[in-house]
Amino acid sequence: MKKLLYLGQWFLRARLFGRKAPLQTVLFISDICNLRCKHCSVYELKNPHNMTYEQVGEHLRKSYAAGSRFVDFEGGEVTIWRDGDKRIDDLIDLAKAIGFYSCTITTNAQLPFAGSHADSIWVSLDGAGAYHEEIRGKGTFARLEKHIAECGHRHLCVNMVVNTLNRTAVADTIEYAAKNPAIECISINFHTPFEGTEHLALDMDERARIIDEVIACKKRGYPIMNSVSGLKLMKTNRFVRRCWVTDFVYPDGSRGLCAGHGTGICDRCGFCMAGEMASVFSFRPDTVLAGLKLRV
Ligand SMILES: C[S@@+](CC[C@H](N)C(=O)[O-])C[C@H]1O[C@@H](n2cnc3c(N)ncnc32)[C@H](O)[C@@H]1O
Ligand code: SF4
């Protein structure tokens, strides 16, 4: 109830009075990773950063004070994060103690995460079997399957990023997620052409065609997290951006908007949250419901 009241108040202030306070935080605790995925520009080899427990605490408190109530711990890879005897679960406990309503982690599932303290877990899945491994490396799919099966968490979803390497695998990946009893839902995102990975982005016509395929699956009852309204906006990417809803904190301690902001790639952004947020602000009931289901 408390969460619903806060969400209602936050939304009214934003919608009616134009108040731009963040609601969620994406906190990159490190840019160190145990994989080298072809589509990724986040992992850092030359000059890696790893936040300390204290630094994470400071950032969480700042975000909370600014209005944020939901946090997603990101990397790099959160399951390999260490600061002395502190692990990712200690960061989740800290966020809860500060007052965050819910904490999620996003992981490549190469290490076990059974017993995670997170309220929900996002596992990155870029296709079933060979498609996933083409992007993420040999052996990554078997380890992911094993750790998902062992996890036992009630809220585990998978996140697919569609690019030129796995564009033909979308329907099969949705089918795989639906059939796997350990997976609650799948979200579909598209490759965002950050510097050095531009060649993996789809053209907008192909993207629109794939979105129609995803919408058809959703209408047939597949457990797809994206709302139909949000998906439709992503077909053209022509909508008012509300990226300020998310407070981004980067591994080097800098804070601000999405890394794409100001780089000229927003019209080719593939993050489904951009469309979902725009759709929430237009009072689209399916998106509001999808958002509540995800967060509350
Ligand atoms: C940067 S990773 C960090 C978390 C973790 N290492 C993992 O792979 O799940 C977070 C998510 O961003 C996605 N991602 C990476 N590069 C992307 C890009 N250029 N466009 C869209 N999503 C991207 C990944 O597939 C993953 O789902
Ligand atoms: S596992 Fe995640 S952070 Fe690591 S390289 Fe792949 S997408 Fe990037």
Side-chain angles (χ1 to χ4, degrees):
M1 196 44 149
K2 191 176 146 201
K3 287 183 197 175
L4 278 176
L5 279 175
Y6 186 83
L7 282 173
Q9 191 190 45
W10 176 89
F11 183 72
L12 287 178
R13 282 183 177 162
R15 191 73 176 77
L16 303 179
F17 306 112
R19 182 172 175 256
K20 289 187 176 174
L23 184 63
Q24 57 192 23
T25 299
V26 175
L27 211 169
F28 291 86
I29 56 178
S30 162
D31 49 24
I32 301 172
C33 193
N34 48 359
L35 294 183
R36 310 275 176 266
C37 304
K38 287 182 181 163
H39 67 306
C40 181
S41 52
V42 175
Y43 70 88
E44 179 61 46
L45 299 176
K46 285 191 199 134
N47 183 24
H49 301 89
N50 202 45
M51 282 192 195
T52 63
Y53 180 79
E54 274 69 31
Q55 286 169 333
V56 174
E58 257 174 55
H59 284 298
L60 285 172
R61 279 184 277 274
K62 267 189 201 165
S63 292
Y64 186 87
S68 177
R69 292 294 180 271
F70 303 91
V71 57
D72 179 30
F73 290 102
E74 283 261 1
E77 177 50 39
V78 294
T79 57
I80 61 172
W81 180 86
R82 303 275 183 275
D83 179 19
D85 60 350
K86 303 289 191 199
R87 303 284 185 272
I88 181 65
D89 278 340
D90 296 298
L91 300 181
I92 295 169
D93 295 346
L94 176 64
K96 287 293 182 69
I98 289 171
F100 281 89
Y101 295 157
S102 89
C103 302
T104 64
I105 56 169
T106 303
T107 177
N108 59 27
Q110 298 305 293
L111 288 172
F113 46 88
S116 169
H117 296 187
D119 296 285
S120 49
I121 298 173
W122 285 95
V123 171
S124 300
L125 173 70
D126 295 322
Y131 283 100
H132 185 78
E133 300 213 340
E134 164 68 11
I135 294 165
R136 289 180 171 256
K138 201 166 164 17
T140 54
F141 186 70
R143 283 193 289 273
L144 171 145
E145 276 202 309
K146 178 175 180 287
H147 296 139
I148 287 182
E150 288 170 359
C151 160
H153 199 290
R154 284 171 53 229
H155 301 299
L156 183 149
C157 293
V158 291
N159 176 39
M160 179 177 192
V161 177
V162 186
N163 58 38
T164 53
L165 301 172
N166 62 2
R167 60 183 158 196
T168 56
V170 179
D172 285 349
T173 310
I174 292 172
E175 187 75 40
Y176 173 85
K179 285 196 173 138
N180 187 324
I183 297 176
E184 190 179 33
C185 69
I186 179 167
S187 88
I188 304 294
N189 291 270
F190 290 88
H191 184 76
T192 303
F194 290 109
E195 200 181 340
T197 67
E198 295 87 344
H199 58 292
L200 292 172
L202 300 182
D203 68 51
M204 293 306 272
D205 288 344
E206 179 152 34
R207 170 160 149 164
R209 190 189 55 69
I210 292 172
I211 289 176
D212 283 337
E213 205 181 315
V214 176
I215 291 174
C217 289
K218 174 128 184 147
K219 289 186 174 164
R220 289 205 298 277
Y222 281 91
I224 295 166
M225 186 280 286
N226 313 58
S227 66
V228 171
S229 302
L231 282 163
K232 282 183 180 165
L233 288 181
M234 285 181 80
K235 275 175 142 183
T236 57
N237 254 1
R238 277 189 224 112
F239 51 82
V240 179
R241 310 265 148 200
R242 315 271 182 187
C243 301
W244 51 267
V245 171
T246 310
D247 201 9
F248 285 88
V249 185
Y250 294 101
D252 64 358
S254 58
R255 305 173 60 95
L257 292 169
C258 165
H261 183 77
T263 66
I265 60 171
C266 294
D267 58 345
R268 300 182 74 202
C269 170
F271 291 105
C272 69
M273 267 307 143
E276 295 295 316
M277 280 303 157
S279 194
V280 164
F281 274 80
S282 312
F283 292 110
R284 295 281 174 196
D286 62 327
T287 316
V288 173
L289 276 177
L292 287 175
K293 202 173 159 203
L294 192 68
R295 292 305 196 183
V296 186

